[in-house]
Amino acid sequence: MLFNSFEFLVFFIALVIVYFSINSKYRWMLLLAASYYFYMSWKVEYILLILFTTAVSYFCSIWMQSAETLPKRRRILIFSLVVNLGVLFFFKYFNFLNDGVRDVLSSYSIQYEYAGLDILLPLGISFYTFQTIGYNLDVFYQVRKPEKHFGIFALYVSFFPQLIAGPIERSTELLPQFYKEHKFDSQRIFNGIKYIIWGLFKKLVIADRLVPSVNEAFSHTEMYSGSTMLFASLLFAIQLYADFSAYSEIAKGLAKILGYKLMDNFNHPFISKNITEFWRRWHISLSFWLRDYLYTPILFSKKKWGKWAIVYSLLITFTLVGIWHGTRINFVILGLLQAVALIFEMFTKKFRKKLSKAMPIAIYNGLSILITLLYVLYSFSFFKAFSFQDSINITKSFFSSLFDFKDLWGFIKTNGGIRFAFSLLLVVSFLGADIWIFKQVQSEKTSPLQKYLIFPLLLAFTFLFGFFGEVEFIYFQF
């Protein structure tokens, strides 16, 4: 059941009506049932995984609190981490490792005929696993006390607006909200609808319209010049941003209508002046999760190494980020490219500060944004490329035919000509208005301009120019 489907619209409207009609003390039950139904609409049996993960994390947190010694608490934590990460590892990496074993054995003429398991990756497994791991770590470090109400904790793990692709919510922020009474508030509901309208516009009018052109370029990397592949990488970056941020904003809007607050997950990342800033603006919930639960503990464990502890921590963290995305070597390279850039920025911080003082600030900032964007586009090409060979083709084209504009013009003509030009006009308009419209979305006060022009116009554009093929959100695959 996709956010951008008629089925979900009916589901959510019915839920809202019932939610505000019943006694507030029973609402958690309704939300939990709705969340499980939402997840089971994809594949019924995988609800058992959420229940298993929920139970393990819940009981381990209770046992940690009752443990008398730190070593015992640590053993309980390790058990929870091993179980939760083991489930994630099994579904995401078992077949990959099985294929690797078969390849190695075949190189020694040893027969290995096991083909692997015919399993689908459960939707949202990475996100709800990270959420439960974060909760257990918070309990271990005594940031919070364990949640005693199993039903409320189960709702925290499975809350349907952010279940499939985040944001990854902290237990200290979301769990307390399930104990509060949320009254019907027309102003709050309209504010939630603003997030949903903007999210649907980004998904249907921008992201999904770019899919055919992006796929065409990345499916034939050997055919196109560097200029075309750079242009396609730009389109993919916009598609990914529009798609992923759309999910986060629709999730935020759905939660807001019901009375809950989710964190902002994106903050206009393409205006970043360096990669460090980019990761403070891109997938914010994951960035902060990695900082608090992975990067910082690794850093402190090697603090005697000085600056090299930072290098080590960044390399480990972003290698794991790459592996988290999938088993292809492209994802590992994507992670390493981010780590290399962050390490470079750490060692050149003083030099760049002197350089910024020696140049007009507008020129320095403009060049910084441009260089950062080009680096992001190149690294994202590894994200989108269908194979490592495709990534090699793209890299070669960047160095051999970056200014082959004739090929670029041919690509534009073969992708629809005027129709494609109209799509680009929509994209340019979106990029130009993104910051301003999002400020209107975030505003808690409704102006006549919002109510009678901006959001009705966005809704009309979505109906007129949106692609209603129910394309899945990109991050559903992770």
Side-chain angles (χ1 to χ4, degrees):
M1 190 171 7
L2 301 176
F3 287 166
N4 50 321
S5 68
F6 180 74
E7 180 187 5
F8 180 80
L9 178 65
V10 173
F11 161 80
F12 187 69
I13 290 174
L15 173 64
V16 171
I17 293 171
V18 177
Y19 180 83
F20 287 111
S21 301
I22 64 176
N23 191 302
S24 61
K25 68 180 181 180
Y26 301 120
R27 288 177 180 170
W28 71 266
M29 299 181 190
L30 175 66
L31 287 180
L32 182 59
S35 297
Y36 283 171
Y37 172 79
F38 173 79
Y39 195 76
M40 288 189 295
S41 68
W42 172 70
K43 198 170 180 63
V44 174
E45 53 267 38
Y46 278 5
I47 195 65
L48 296 175
L49 286 176
I50 294 183
L51 287 168
F52 177 70
T53 297
T54 301
V56 169
S57 300
Y58 172 82
F59 287 111
C60 283
S61 68
I62 300 293
W63 293 334
M64 269 192 279
Q65 187 186 42
S66 61
E68 298 175 355
T69 63
L70 180 61
K72 189 174 180 180
R73 289 175 61 234
R74 186 177 287 112
R75 285 196 296 271
I76 296 169
L77 173 67
I78 291 171
F79 172 78
S80 178
L81 295 179
V82 168
V83 171
N84 283 311
L85 289 174
V87 172
L88 178 64
F89 180 88
F90 175 77
F91 281 94
K92 290 194 79 165
Y93 307 111
F94 178 81
N95 282 339
F96 169 74
L97 290 177
N98 182 71
D99 292 342
V101 169
R102 185 173 59 248
D103 292 342
V104 170
L105 292 177
S106 65
S107 67
Y108 289 96
S109 300
I110 301 174
Q111 286 191 347
Y112 182 79
E113 298 180 354
Y114 183 59
L117 296 173
D118 183 17
I119 53 175
L120 291 174
L121 180 67
L123 284 178
I125 188 171
S126 296
F127 291 92
Y128 66 72
T129 300
F130 274 27
Q131 198 153 294
T132 54
I133 287 174
Y135 164 79
N136 280 149
L137 288 168
D138 284 344
V139 172
F140 176 77
Y141 290 119
Q142 298 181 331
V143 174
R144 62 159 295 124
K145 292 182 179 180
E147 175 58 51
K148 298 296 179 65
H149 194 304
F150 183 81
I152 294 292
F153 179 70
L155 178 56
Y156 162 71
V157 176
S158 62
F159 189 44
F160 75 90
Q162 46 86 224
L163 172 60
I164 307 299
I168 304 168
E169 286 291 329
R170 299 297 177 90
S171 60
T172 50
E173 297 296 327
L174 184 56
L175 263 172
Q177 296 184 54
F178 294 125
Y179 285 98
K180 296 179 180 178
E181 181 179 356
H182 304 286
K183 296 181 180 179
F184 183 89
D185 183 337
S186 57
Q187 179 63 57
R188 189 192 68 236
I189 288 173
F190 181 75
N191 290 337
I193 291 172
K194 290 192 296 184
Y195 277 97
I196 294 170
I197 290 174
W198 184 225
L200 287 174
F201 176 86
K202 291 201 288 185
K203 170 63 175 169
L204 300 175
V205 179
I206 305 301
D208 290 355
R209 269 181 162 269
L210 293 175
V211 170
S213 301
V214 170
N215 286 346
E216 164 61 25
F218 280 90
S219 296
H220 304 94
T221 56
E222 74 285 354
M223 290 173 49
Y224 293 114
S225 67
S227 59
T228 302
M229 291 313 305
L230 179 62
F231 181 64
S233 297
L234 174 61
L235 294 183
F236 172 66
I238 295 168
Q239 177 203 347
L240 181 61
Y241 167 63
D243 187 281
F244 198 5
S245 63
Y247 182 95
S248 296
E249 280 153 28
I250 294 171
K252 192 175 177 71
L254 297 171
K256 184 176 279 291
I257 288 173
L258 296 169
Y260 302 93
K261 182 180 179 181
L262 301 181
M263 69 181 295
D264 289 328
N265 213 16
F266 291 87
N267 183 20
H268 316 295
F270 297 140
I271 61 171
S272 302
K273 293 185 284 294
N274 50 61
I275 298 298
T276 303
E277 182 184 350
F278 177 82
W279 278 99
R280 290 175 183 149
R281 293 174 174 269
W282 178 273
H283 202 347
I284 298 168
S285 64
L286 176 64
S287 298
F288 284 9
W289 194 99
L290 292 169
R291 181 197 66 186
D292 294 344
Y293 299 123
L294 184 60
Y295 170 80
T296 301
I298 295 173
L299 180 64
F300 273 93
S301 71
K302 305 295 181 183
K303 59 184 178 181
K304 294 181 180 180
W305 295 4
K307 279 190 175 183
W308 294 107
I310 299 175
V311 173
Y312 177 77
S313 302
L314 287 172
L315 287 171
I316 295 295
T317 299
F318 280 92
T319 298
L320 291 175
V321 167
I323 294 171
W324 174 75
H325 279 87
T327 54
R328 289 189 287 133
I329 187 65
N330 283 24
F331 290 132
V332 177
I333 295 173
L334 169 67
L336 289 174
L337 285 171
Q338 305 309 307
V340 168
L342 293 168
I343 292 167
F344 172 80
E345 289 174 1
M346 178 190 69
F347 281 108
T348 61
K349 187 175 181 179
K350 291 182 179 179
F351 170 77
R352 287 183 292 112
K353 190 173 183 179
K354 289 181 181 179
L355 190 62
S356 67
K357 292 179 179 179
M359 296 174 63
I361 192 64
I363 293 176
Y364 177 82
N365 287 342
L367 287 173
S368 297
I369 291 171
L370 178 61
I371 292 169
T372 301
L373 178 60
L374 290 173
Y375 191 84
V376 168
L377 296 184
Y378 176 65
S379 62
F380 274 15
S381 70
F382 284 87
F383 185 107
K384 177 59 181 174
F386 297 111
S387 68
F388 182 60
Q389 183 58 52
D390 286 333
S391 297
I392 293 175
N393 293 339
I394 294 168
T395 303
K396 286 181 178 178
S397 69
F398 283 168
F399 287 98
S400 62
S401 54
L402 190 57
F403 301 101
D404 187 352
F405 299 116
K406 184 178 179 181
D407 181 75
L408 174 58
W409 177 242
F411 173 78
I412 292 173
K413 287 196 297 183
T414 56
N415 274 272
I418 295 175
R419 178 176 54 82
F420 185 56
F422 178 72
S423 297
L424 292 181
L425 179 62
L426 289 172
V427 168
V428 171
S429 300
F430 157 67
L431 293 175
D434 184 26
I435 295 176
W436 181 77
I437 290 180
F438 194 61
K439 285 181 180 178
Q440 304 300 316
V441 171
Q442 288 180 308
S443 173
E444 292 296 319
K445 295 181 180 180
T446 304
S447 67
L449 184 66
Q450 292 178 12
K451 196 170 184 179
Y452 300 111
L453 182 62
I454 297 173
F455 292 99
L457 196 60
L458 283 172
L459 196 58
F461 262 77
T462 303
F463 279 113
L464 287 171
F465 305 117
F467 179 79
F468 290 89
E470 294 190 11
V471 179
E472 283 192 351
F473 289 87
I474 292 173
Y475 262 75
F476 277 19
Q477 62 186 294
F478 303 117

